[in-house]
Amino acid sequence: MFDVHFREGRMKLARSTHALVALGGNLPLGDDRPDAVLRAAFDSLTTEGMRVVSVSRIYRTPAFPAGTGPDYANAAALVEVDALVDPEAVLAALHRIEAAFGRVRGQRWAGRALDLDLLAIGETILPDPGTQRQWQSLPPQDQAQLAPDRLILPHPRLQDRAFVLVPLADVAPDWRHPLSGLSVDQMLQALPAEDVAAVVPWV
């Protein structure tokens, strides 16, 4: 399914490939509740040249870190992108969608109407395996303070977060992390049961 491969600093590209996108938000936008904002964001992905292959259910999850605001609506999408497009361009497209929904980037993990995270593009590793592992193992106390100055793929926190993996299991349960080799389902099973149980379908 996934057609991009990292080999000795070079990417072997097919004509198109798949990207994994996480969507989240915990603030209303006008009269729209967070779940409605996410549904509108699904449609907006196509306006930026992405073909939506599959979308997850929308889930309700406690704010992260705990106690920092209202519950979040979270979801995931599997989209097809032009394999010749630079991953930075895909990220820029997601940022344009966020801006159209009123997102102003400021404090990390602050409440927002819409947050779009580029989780992965196929098996691409950026900028390199060593840097990816460094951000993956960042101590929790530093995660709220430090942000990379470049695109890190796969997203260094995806294997730690039930609110990412539960929706992702709806659209790409068999995708494997190119460093750990673990599938989405395997990463989800490795999380504490209470974290997974806290992610429930939005009613």
Side-chain angles (χ1 to χ4, degrees), residues 5 22 25 39 49 57 83 87 98 110 114 118 128 136 154 158 160 163 181 189-190 193 199:
H5 300 272
R39 292 188 181 93
R57 292 170 287 179
E98 288 181 338
L114 180 64
L118 181 58
D128 56 73
Q136 198 178 86
L158 76 86
D160 303 327
F163 64 83
Q189 291 168 17
V199 183

Coordinates of all heavy atoms in Angstrom, one line a residue, residues 5 22 25 39 49 57 83 87 98 110 114 118 128 136 154 158 160 163 181 189-190 193 199:
H5 N 10.1 4.7 0.2 CA 11.1 3.9 0.9 C 12.3 4.7 1.2 O 12.8 5.4 0.2 CB 11.4 2.6 0.2 CG 10.3 1.7 0.0 ND1 9.8 0.8 0.9 CD2 9.4 1.6 -1.0 CE1 8.8 0.2 0.5 NE2 8.5 0.7 -0.7
A22 N -3.4 13.1 11.2 CA -4.2 13.1 12.4 C -5.0 14.4 12.5 O -4.4 15.5 12.2 CB -3.4 12.9 13.6
G25 N -9.2 18.7 17.6 CA -9.7 20.0 18.0 C -10.6 20.0 19.2 O -11.3 18.9 19.4
R39 N -15.2 17.2 10.5 CA -15.9 16.7 9.3 C -15.7 17.7 8.2 O -15.4 17.3 7.0 CB -17.4 16.5 9.5 CG -17.7 15.3 10.5 CD -19.2 15.0 10.5 NE -19.4 13.9 11.5 CZ -19.7 14.1 12.7 NH1 -19.8 15.3 13.3 NH2 -19.9 13.0 13.5
G49 N -5.3 19.2 -2.9 CA -4.8 18.3 -3.9 C -4.6 16.9 -3.3 O -3.9 16.0 -3.9
R57 N -13.6 7.0 12.2 CA -14.7 7.6 13.0 C -14.1 8.8 13.8 O -12.9 8.9 13.9 CB -15.2 6.6 14.0 CG -16.0 5.4 13.4 CD -16.3 4.3 14.4 NE -15.0 3.6 14.7 CZ -15.0 2.6 15.5 NH1 -16.0 2.2 16.2 NH2 -13.8 1.9 15.7
A83 N 3.6 11.6 -5.3 CA 4.9 11.1 -4.7 C 6.0 12.1 -5.0 O 7.1 12.0 -4.4 CB 5.2 9.7 -5.2
P87 N 7.7 16.3 1.1 CA 6.9 16.2 2.3 C 6.6 17.5 3.0 O 5.6 17.7 3.6 CB 7.7 15.3 3.2 CG 8.5 14.4 2.2 CD 8.8 15.3 1.1
E98 N -5.4 24.5 8.4 CA -5.5 25.0 9.7 C -5.8 26.5 9.8 O -6.7 27.0 10.5 CB -4.2 24.7 10.5 CG -4.0 23.3 10.9 CD -2.7 23.1 11.7 OE1 -1.8 24.0 11.6 OE2 -2.6 22.1 12.4
A110 N -1.9 24.0 23.3 CA -3.1 24.9 23.7 C -4.3 24.5 23.0 O -4.3 23.8 22.0 CB -2.7 26.3 23.4
L114 N -8.8 23.5 15.3 CA -8.4 22.4 14.4 C -6.8 22.3 14.5 O -6.1 23.3 14.4 CB -8.8 22.8 13.0 CG -8.3 21.7 11.9 CD1 -9.0 20.4 12.2 CD2 -8.6 22.2 10.5
L118 N 0.8 15.8 10.3 CA 1.3 14.8 9.3 C 2.0 13.7 10.1 O 3.1 14.0 10.7 CB 2.2 15.5 8.3 CG 2.8 14.6 7.2 CD1 1.7 14.0 6.4 CD2 3.7 15.4 6.3
D128 N 16.5 11.8 9.2 CA 17.4 10.6 9.2 C 17.0 9.8 10.4 O 16.4 10.3 11.4 CB 18.9 11.0 9.2 CG 19.2 11.8 10.4 OD1 19.3 11.3 11.5 OD2 19.5 13.0 10.2
Q136 N 12.0 11.0 19.2 CA 11.1 9.9 19.7 C 11.3 9.7 21.2 O 10.4 9.4 22.0 CB 11.3 8.7 18.9 CG 10.2 7.6 19.0 CD 10.5 6.4 18.2 OE1 11.2 5.5 18.6 NE2 10.0 6.5 16.9
P154 N 8.5 9.4 10.7 CA 7.1 9.6 11.2 C 7.1 10.5 12.4 O 8.1 10.8 13.0 CB 6.7 8.1 11.6 CG 7.6 7.2 10.9 CD 8.9 8.0 10.8
L158 N 3.7 9.5 17.7 CA 2.5 8.8 17.4 C 2.4 7.5 18.1 O 1.3 7.0 18.4 CB 2.5 8.6 15.9 CG 3.3 7.5 15.1 CD1 2.7 6.2 15.1 CD2 3.6 8.0 13.7
D160 N 3.1 6.8 21.1 CA 2.8 7.0 22.5 C 1.4 7.4 22.8 O 1.0 7.5 24.0 CB 3.7 8.1 23.1 CG 5.2 7.8 22.9 OD1 5.6 6.6 22.9 OD2 6.0 8.8 22.6
F163 N -4.9 8.7 21.5 CA -5.8 9.5 20.7 C -5.4 9.6 19.3 O -6.2 10.0 18.4 CB -6.0 10.9 21.4 CG -4.8 11.7 21.4 CD1 -4.4 12.5 20.3 CD2 -4.0 11.8 22.6 CE1 -3.2 13.3 20.4 CE2 -2.9 12.6 22.7 CZ -2.5 13.4 21.6
G181 N 9.2 -1.3 13.2 CA 8.6 -2.4 12.5 C 7.3 -2.8 13.1 O 6.7 -3.7 12.6
Q189 N -1.8 -1.9 21.0 CA -1.8 -3.0 22.0 C -0.8 -2.8 23.1 O -0.9 -3.2 24.3 CB -1.7 -4.3 21.4 CG -2.8 -4.8 20.5 CD -2.6 -6.0 19.7 OE1 -1.6 -6.7 19.9 NE2 -3.4 -6.2 18.7
A190 N 0.3 -2.0 22.8 CA 1.4 -1.8 23.7 C 1.1 -0.7 24.7 O 1.8 -0.5 25.7 CB 2.7 -1.5 23.0
A193 N -3.9 0.1 29.0 CA -5.3 -0.1 28.7 C -6.2 1.1 29.0 O -7.2 1.4 28.3 CB -5.8 -1.4 29.4
V199 N -10.4 6.8 25.0 CA -10.7 7.3 23.6 C -12.0 6.6 23.2 O -12.0 5.4 22.9 CB -9.6 7.0 22.6 CG1 -9.9 7.5 21.3 CG2 -8.3 7.5 23.2

